[in-house]
Amino acid sequence: MQLTLHRGLCEHTIITLPQFTSVVTKDENAVQCYRIAKGAMSLRETFDVSAQIPELYFNFYGRIAWRFEPFQAGIEPLRQGFEVGLSSGNKDMGLHCLIHTVKNAIFSGASLKSILKEIDYYLHLLKTYKSEVTNNFMLNFRETVSLLIDNGEATSIPEKAVFGDLNDPGNKPREAFFHHAVIRCYWSGHSERCRYYSEKCMNLFGQGGQPTAYVAKFFFGLNSIDLLRKKRHASKSKEGLRKAIAAMKDAAANSEWNFMNKLRLLEAEQQSITQRHFLAIDLYDASIQSAKKSGFIHEQGLAYEKAGLYFKNKAGNNEKALEYFKQALECYEEWGSKMKVDFVKKEIDSLNVSGS
């Protein structure tokens, strides 16, 4: 930074500006920080920074760009940062890129079987490139993906991530554990456990400087709706939903691609419990179309599923429910989630039985 201020633009500018902005970025200054970092990235053709690719891509694509650019856009650059890091001897920064590569793939709704195959390859590679932290992250990701595929029935492995004392405030990796606990509990329907881990996430992430915070808040909001339907923790659930919607509004203001579908689904679910039928339907459809546009096949399926449940349980329209469930089934099949395919098939079977 000092060199840039005193001597003007140089090769160090490209590295230090994304690094600096990745540290100081908050919700209120995100636009300015992104513009600074993006400007620095545009200088790559002017100066030779090939040796610094791991640092550059980690700070920009792993820590800043997700607020404004599609999750998918960061996957290949981060993978390149990982590969360059290993080949150039910058192992630690390369492994940071690897963690964000897999994280972005999961958030993007990439093929679960492909992600699992990649993770297993990386776990094998980590037997050579020793890193306990990265190995634990990969195992944590793997447990989530395995559950989503088949509830771990045929894809789980004995080795599990170890994150140490989860009550230790200085234990930074515990954030990853709590975040994926939220994902696993929500998708598998364990609402009380999801609430517990969601509250842990909220305490840890605070304002939320990383995408994990926003994804956790999204699932926290959806789970709050489920608890309200079950008439549990009404006050806390209403507050959780309010915070989740507020967070998605803030995030979608910068990136409709990554967050608008999440906001619309939360709003649809909110309207569904207030009996605003036509508004709820419009919002479900808006969430579906937004997820489709962004290529988030997993969240497109989730929006179809939620709309189907609404038509079945609230609107009393089994024909429309079946239509949405069939679309959800196609999405989940494409995603590769046998667990969710089985769930939707049971809903379809119940409609067929009740209609016979």
Side-chain angles (χ1 to χ4, degrees):
M1 287 295 293
Q2 292 297 323
L3 283 171
T4 300
L5 291 172
H6 287 97
R7 300 182 185 179
L9 298 175
C10 62
E11 64 272 18
H12 301 293
T13 304
I14 308 173
I15 302 301
T16 56
L17 285 180
Q19 185 179 53
F20 173 73
T21 53
S22 73
V23 173
V24 302
T25 299
K26 302 293 182 184
D27 290 343
E28 62 270 15
N29 67 2
V31 173
Q32 294 89 336
C33 287
Y34 172 70
R35 287 174 179 168
I36 293 169
K38 188 72 172 177
M41 291 288 287
S42 69
L43 298 171
R44 283 175 294 172
E45 301 301 320
T46 306
F47 301 99
D48 180 16
V49 293
S50 55
Q52 285 79 40
I53 286 292
E55 289 95 339
L56 183 63
Y57 286 0
F58 165 67
N59 283 306
F60 183 73
Y61 291 106
R63 304 182 72 180
I64 303 171
W66 63 269
R67 289 178 178 270
F68 301 91
E69 301 181 10
F71 285 133
Q72 296 95 322
I75 295 174
E76 286 308 315
L78 286 163
R79 185 177 285 118
Q80 183 185 353
F82 162 66
E83 293 169 353
V84 171
L86 291 195
S87 63
S88 65
N90 193 352
K91 181 192 80 168
D92 290 343
M93 193 55 65
L95 292 177
H96 282 307
C97 288
L98 172 60
I99 290 169
H100 286 274
T101 301
V102 178
K103 183 192 298 182
N104 277 28
I106 293 172
F107 291 167
S108 299
S111 164
L112 291 170
K113 292 179 182 178
S114 295
I115 297 174
L116 188 70
K117 185 177 179 180
E118 274 200 63
I119 292 173
D120 284 343
Y121 168 72
Y122 296 139
L123 285 169
H124 177 74
L125 208 62
L126 285 165
K127 295 183 186 300
T128 301
Y129 297 94
K130 306 290 186 181
S131 171
E132 183 180 354
V133 171
T134 309
N135 197 68
N136 278 327
F137 269 93
M138 291 300 114
L139 288 171
N140 196 35
F141 293 151
R142 196 190 190 287
E143 187 174 350
T144 297
V145 173
S146 173
L147 178 135
L148 290 168
I149 291 174
D150 63 358
N151 210 18
E153 292 176 4
T155 56
S156 64
I157 58 175
E159 189 178 5
K160 303 297 180 187
V162 178
F163 284 105
D165 184 359
L166 297 177
N167 295 312
D168 177 10
N171 180 10
K172 190 71 173 175
R174 69 185 180 144
E175 294 182 9
F177 169 82
F178 287 130
H179 171 245
H180 280 268
V182 170
I183 293 179
R184 291 191 287 264
C185 291
Y186 182 77
W187 281 109
S188 56
H190 298 299
S191 55
E192 287 294 342
R193 272 184 271 173
C194 185
R195 180 186 68 83
Y196 171 79
Y197 287 120
S198 294
E199 290 177 355
K200 290 284 187 181
C201 283
M202 296 308 103
N203 293 334
L204 284 171
F205 290 131
Q207 185 189 36
Q210 290 300 314
T212 47
Y214 288 95
V215 174
K217 286 175 183 177
F218 170 58
F219 285 112
F220 186 28
L222 289 177
N223 194 64
S224 296
I225 290 284
D226 291 344
L227 289 171
L228 284 170
R229 289 197 177 106
K230 296 174 183 176
K231 303 187 186 308
R232 298 179 190 170
H233 315 287
S235 179
K236 283 189 175 181
S237 295
K238 287 178 182 177
E239 180 64 11
L241 176 60
R242 185 194 65 77
K243 287 182 178 179
I245 289 177
M248 292 308 105
K249 282 182 178 177
D250 289 343
N254 291 329
S255 177
E256 289 191 8
W257 184 284
N258 288 339
F259 297 104
M260 185 56 74
N261 72 294
K262 298 173 179 63
L263 172 60
R264 293 295 177 246
L265 184 54
L266 286 172
E267 290 174 335
E269 288 283 88
Q270 182 185 45
Q271 298 307 320
S272 75
I273 61 173
T274 58
Q275 305 298 318
R276 295 176 181 174
H277 178 70
F278 294 108
L279 182 54
I281 293 171
D282 286 345
L283 288 166
Y284 282 124
D285 287 339
S287 178
I288 289 165
Q289 292 307 311
S290 180
K292 183 178 181 180
K293 181 181 178 181
S294 298
F296 296 160
I297 194 68
H298 59 321
E299 291 170 357
Q300 185 183 347
L302 182 60
Y304 273 125
E305 175 195 327
K306 292 296 186 182
L309 289 169
Y310 174 70
F311 276 107
K312 175 190 173 186
N313 299 325
K314 291 290 185 180
N317 188 332
N318 285 358
E319 184 177 347
K320 289 295 291 184
L322 185 60
E323 178 183 322
Y324 280 97
F325 282 143
K326 285 181 176 179
Q327 293 294 324
L329 191 64
E330 289 185 15
C331 292
Y332 288 145
E333 285 175 341
E334 184 176 338
W335 186 31
S337 176
K338 179 181 179 296
M339 181 185 75
K340 293 304 298 180
V341 165
D342 290 345
F343 173 84
V344 174
K345 281 183 176 178
K346 287 180 181 178
E347 293 295 335
I348 292 174
D349 289 343
S350 72
L351 291 176
N352 290 336
V353 169
S354 62
S356 60

